Amino acid sequence: MAANKTAPTRVDPHEFIASVAHPTRRADAQVLLEMMEEVSGQPATMWGPTIIGFGTYHYKYDSGREGDAGAIGFSPRSTNLALYGLTVAPESEELLAKLGKHKRGAACLYVNKLADVDFGVLTELARHGYRHMMEVVHDPS
């Protein structure tokens, strides 16, 4: 069985954010950290060297691959903010239409800066995404 290569670390997410070179990305990361902690009720945890996650869920695919991952999270990359777990809930499509300037990847939502999006809509995406990951996707076995 293959497992997730990205695992929680002991790195302090606040220290990681403080090390982000781009000032807008650093400030946006701090705002995202506070919002996602509030939405999830979970403390921030570093997953690997660059992802900040909130909550944990267990997944198991038919292929046998399984592991644990952050329910929602983000990574302040050099070119954008990558947001995880925000496009999975049934409510996501309607909210994404109202979000503002963004791009979607296979499992990610990308925004250049928080000023480009409606923060209230982003918060609702995080709320629905967290609930969906914990209640629907989570495999407690």
Side-chain angles (χ1 to χ4, degrees):
M1 285 182 261
N4 189 353
K5 294 178 185 176
T6 305
T9 72
R10 293 179 175 250
V11 174
D12 182 335
H14 294 93
E15 290 179 15
F16 169 68
I17 289 172
S19 74
V20 172
H22 191 283
T24 301
R25 204 94 54 238
R26 184 173 54 248
D28 285 353
Q30 186 60 45
V31 170
L32 286 171
L33 182 142
E34 292 169 9
M35 179 269 280
M36 289 188 177
E37 277 187 341
E38 182 178 324
V39 163
S40 69
Q42 299 295 317
T45 301
M46 291 299 302
W47 285 78
T50 62
I51 298 173
I52 300 171
F54 304 83
T56 303
Y57 75 99
H58 186 79
Y59 63 86
K60 189 183 309 184
Y61 298 129
D62 291 338
S63 67
R65 180 179 170 90
E66 67 178 294
D68 296 311
I72 58 173
F74 69 93
S75 180
R77 297 180 175 179
S78 60
T79 57
N80 57 35
L81 297 163
L83 302 126
Y84 305 98
L86 276 59
T87 62
V88 296
E91 303 88 350
S92 297
E93 288 304 318
E94 183 178 335
L95 289 167
L96 286 166
K98 301 173 187 177
L99 180 61
K101 187 178 175 183
H102 70 279
K103 292 182 182 179
R104 290 177 64 177
C108 300
L109 176 66
Y110 300 102
V111 298
N112 290 330
K113 56 187 179 292
L114 292 182
D116 290 342
V117 298
D118 182 316
F119 191 72
V121 172
L122 187 65
T123 301
E124 283 304 303
L125 282 165
R127 189 177 326 282
H128 289 295
Y130 182 76
R131 179 197 47 78
H132 183 80
M133 296 307 285
M134 298 308 291
E135 295 176 4
V136 178
V137 176
H138 180 67
D139 177 346
S141 63

